[in-house]
Amino acid sequence: QVQLVESGGGLVQAGGSLRLSCAASGRTANLYAMGWFRQAPGKDRAFVAGITWNTGAATYVHSVKDRFTISRDNTKNTVYLQMNNLKPEDTAVYYCAAKFNPLGAYDYWGQGTQVTASA
């Protein structure tokens, strides 16, 4: 089992910044990648960014590229999402996730943290 605990959400004005953190614990050996997803009211949960654990290769959904940066600290088993120039459309519950199979779905999920960017 793997436990994921997110922190860092909050309320900011449009144009502001927030940094999310997600600490993984438990059986984290052979972790392949971690990612961030978000779910806005009335919408499905959607991929935001992901990072492979060994190489640090990052991928982003187009709408956040150049504004968000995903990074990881392997020594702390922690992944971060730096969010700059936040827009009202970024408002959502943000979830951290982890996966072990490069070809599979994300296996473990955090409890979510609310991010609100006011106009």
Side-chain angles (χ1 to χ4, degrees):
Q1 286 287 349
V2 174
Q3 294 78 43
L4 303 176
V5 178
E6 300 114 332
S7 60
L11 171 65
V12 296
Q13 290 188 332
S17 298
L18 283 173
R19 188 194 195 205
L20 304 182
S21 300
C22 174
S25 61
R27 295 187 173 183
T28 58
N30 300 318
L31 180 63
Y32 173 74
M34 293 187 71
W36 289 97
F37 291 71
R38 66 187 179 187
Q39 187 168 20
K43 295 188 176 181
D44 293 332
R45 188 158 54 187
F47 175 81
V48 176
I51 188 166
T52 56
W53 209 243
N54 286 340
T55 67
T59 56
Y60 300 91
V61 67
H62 180 73
S63 60
V64 308
K65 217 169 184 181
D66 300 327
R67 298 189 298 122
F68 291 10
T69 303
I70 189 170
S71 61
R72 91 274 192 237
D73 184 334
N74 299 60
T75 65
K76 297 181 180 179
N77 280 343
T78 299
V79 64
Y80 305 96
L81 187 68
Q82 177 66 43
M83 304 183 293
N84 298 329
N85 190 21
L86 281 159
K87 303 177 180 181
E89 52 264 41
D90 295 318
T91 295
V93 177
Y94 282 70
Y95 296 91
C96 170
K99 69 173 178 177
F100 293 82
N101 183 348
L103 300 179
Y106 282 84
D107 306 287
Y108 298 94
W109 296 84
Q111 80 285 357
T113 185
Q114 177 70 46
V115 170
T116 302
S118 61

